[in-house]
Amino acid sequence: WHIPTFAQFQTLAASVGNDGNALKREDQGSGGGIGTNTSGFSALLAGYRFYNGYFYNLGDYTFFWSSTEGDATLAYTLYLFTNDSDIYLSYDSKGNGFSVRCLKD
């Protein structure tokens, strides 16, 4: 098992046409961001732990770490939002607590 690389997240996004709803479980999201889970990924909008130790946005967002570092303080991520069907690929501070999904080798 391994945490996906940023390139693997890019492949995942491309395989579903950048449709974040295809990654979200059916009971996740609202408005134009309601999950269809056509990919079987079953993402939950789990929120995140901010670097200050507080938890935020349960049911509104989900952030997944990749194993690809940007530098000593940043790593690449995949984001999904409750009312948005897009998949966002970016980077964030390693001080935050985000979800991980593992891929079987």
Side-chain angles (χ1 to χ4, degrees):
W1 294 90
H2 69 275
I3 296 173
T5 64
F6 188 64
Q8 288 172 315
F9 277 163
Q10 290 171 313
T11 299
L12 174 63
S15 74
V16 295
N18 204 50
D19 179 13
N21 294 340
L23 301 181
K24 295 177 205 165
R25 204 169 74 176
E26 292 91 341
D27 63 348
Q28 301 290 292
S30 63
I34 295 175
T36 62
N37 200 31
T38 56
S39 67
F41 190 82
S42 301
L44 300 175
L45 298 172
Y48 63 97
R49 185 196 50 79
F50 200 50
Y51 67 86
N52 64 9
Y54 290 98
F55 290 84
Y56 295 97
N57 300 108
L58 177 62
D60 292 329
Y61 310 121
T62 195
F63 304 85
F64 292 99
W65 285 123
S66 80
S67 60
T68 306
E69 292 182 301
D71 63 26
T73 63
L74 301 172
Y76 286 90
T77 57
L78 181 148
Y79 299 173
L80 301 172
F81 298 100
T82 190
N83 59 355
D84 191 336
S85 64
D86 290 333
I87 296 170
Y88 296 91
L89 300 170
S90 189
Y91 54 87
D92 215 304
S93 170
K94 293 179 187 178
N96 294 324
F98 295 161
S99 299
V100 295
R101 286 294 292 260
C102 294
L103 291 176
K104 191 171 184 178
D105 292 330

